[in-house]
Amino acid sequence: ENVVVSDEDIDYIYNKLKNAKRPCIFGGTGIILSDAKREFVELVKQFNVPTVVSRRARRLFHKEDTDLFYGSAGGVATRYWFWLTLLLN
């Protein structure tokens, strides 16, 4: 089943990211399951927002994709994720 996102939903998310003092995007396996990897990476680049993913969604990014990727959170988190969470709090 396809999920339809309304223009209002997109505006809401855009405004939240735009007005956040220290925005961060957290991506998960839903992006992979919905075959939206390309769109997700484009969104991260367009909004220029630091991004982390769940441990199982690590394959969303490669080093060459963007310098906004700070690793994955979970049982085995990266050093960058640790520092990013400290800065966001």
Side-chain angles (χ1 to χ4, degrees):
E1 177 182 333
N2 289 337
V3 176
V4 178
V5 179
S6 71
D7 289 340
E8 292 83 19
D9 292 335
I10 292 171
D11 288 341
Y12 176 81
I13 294 167
Y14 172 77
N15 286 321
K16 286 291 187 181
L17 286 172
K18 180 180 163 190
N19 296 318
K21 290 181 183 176
R22 294 178 284 193
C24 179
I25 297 174
F26 186 86
T29 54
I31 298 162
I32 296 167
L33 294 173
S34 64
D35 197 29
K37 177 189 186 287
R38 183 178 51 82
E39 292 86 351
F40 180 71
V41 173
E42 287 176 14
L43 176 128
V44 168
K45 289 178 181 179
Q46 184 176 9
F47 284 136
N48 197 37
V49 174
T51 302
V52 294
V53 294
S54 66
R55 192 168 151 227
R56 291 185 176 177
R58 285 180 289 181
R59 62 181 180 232
L60 283 171
F61 284 96
H62 299 285
K63 288 183 181 178
E64 64 274 2
D65 280 338
T66 180
D67 58 350
L68 296 168
F69 176 55
Y70 286 87
S72 61
V76 182
T78 63
R79 171 184 245 182
Y80 301 112
W81 167 243
F82 173 75
W83 286 110
L84 185 62
T85 56
L86 286 178
L87 292 173
L88 292 174
N89 287 326

